[in-house]
Amino acid sequence: MKKKSIFADARALEDAFFTKENARLLEQLKEKQKREALREVVQIKDEIFLDRLIELGIGPETVLALTLVPLIAVAWADGTLDGRERDAIIKAAEEKGVSPETAGHQLLETWLSRRPERELFDSWKQYVRGIWETFTDEERQRMRERTLDWALAVAEASGGFLGVISKVSPSERVVIKELENVLRVP
């Protein structure tokens, strides 16, 4: 009887060990996949920056929202979204790896077909203000430049008349100014 109990205890020990080990290995695999997906979306190879994003709980989905929400806000600033603005946003999204078969693209299509509530942009601003100081000046500068460049490209996509009138509408300028204020680099 005692011998059978020892074997049962050994089996229970092995099961517990391998269950725990498998869970650890699975977690490592998930982290590796998350890191690779994050690297693809962020398009930066800096491991320290990726570590900081992971520590903050920022995944690929969050990066996409951080990237696309400002573009959506600029595009809808004047109350309408035209085909050229739409194309500029789709191009920016595709550069971030948002292909048509992804959930991110479906969400983007929703935002492009129906103006999101102002709370989306307000939430974006609040979140960015909360994480902004965790980045280095160089990282903030790089993120600021990219966001403002893309926002300006969207604003310029449909504006102007024969090169005489500014390509950026007054309402788009207001949103871009809000972006500049949130994305300040000391």
Side-chain angles (χ1 to χ4, degrees):
M1 250 331 177
K2 194 172 185 179
K3 194 173 189 180
K4 191 172 189 178
S5 175
I6 290 173
F7 288 125
D9 290 344
R11 184 68 182 158
L13 175 62
E14 289 172 4
D15 287 346
F17 172 77
F18 285 109
T19 298
K20 194 172 194 174
E21 186 64 14
N22 285 341
R24 184 185 68 77
L25 292 172
L26 184 59
E27 189 60 34
Q28 283 179 338
L29 179 61
K30 285 180 183 177
E31 282 299 315
K32 183 178 179 183
Q33 289 171 339
K34 181 177 182 179
R35 177 179 286 280
E36 292 308 312
L38 192 55
R39 183 187 329 277
E40 186 176 316
V41 171
V42 174
Q43 298 175 346
I44 295 174
K45 294 179 178 161
D46 182 348
E47 294 299 320
I48 293 170
F49 182 66
L50 291 174
D51 288 341
R52 194 165 22 265
L53 293 178
I54 291 169
E55 283 175 23
L56 290 168
I58 298 174
E61 303 83 7
T62 306
V63 171
L64 285 174
L66 288 171
T67 302
L68 298 176
V69 167
L71 306 183
I72 295 294
V74 169
W76 282 105
D78 60 2
T80 62
L81 183 129
D82 73 19
R84 290 174 292 197
E85 289 171 318
R86 178 183 172 72
D87 292 345
I89 292 171
I90 294 292
K91 180 181 177 192
E94 286 174 353
E95 287 178 11
K96 282 290 186 190
V98 182
S99 58
E101 64 276 355
T102 64
H105 191 276
Q106 292 170 1
L107 177 60
L108 184 58
E109 285 292 339
T110 301
W111 289 343
L112 293 172
S113 63
R114 186 175 26 103
R115 184 179 188 173
E117 297 294 322
R118 173 69 189 194
E119 288 81 16
L120 177 65
F121 187 46
D122 292 341
S123 294
W124 178 90
K125 291 188 299 185
Q126 182 176 348
Y127 184 72
V128 170
R129 285 182 184 119
I131 64 168
W132 198 238
E133 294 302 315
T134 64
F135 300 113
T136 67
D137 286 347
E138 181 183 328
E139 292 165 345
R140 287 191 296 255
Q141 185 63 36
R142 196 169 40 218
M143 289 184 285
R144 182 181 200 278
E145 286 173 5
R146 180 172 247 174
T147 301
L148 293 176
D149 285 350
W150 282 356
L152 190 57
V154 168
E156 290 177 340
S158 68
F161 179 71
L162 300 175
V164 178
I165 300 172
S166 173
K167 290 184 172 189
V168 180
S169 74
S171 55
E172 290 167 335
R173 284 187 200 285
V174 168
V175 173
I176 290 172
K177 188 68 175 166
E178 285 182 76
L179 293 171
E180 289 172 345
N181 289 334
V182 171
L183 300 172
R184 275 185 285 204
V185 178

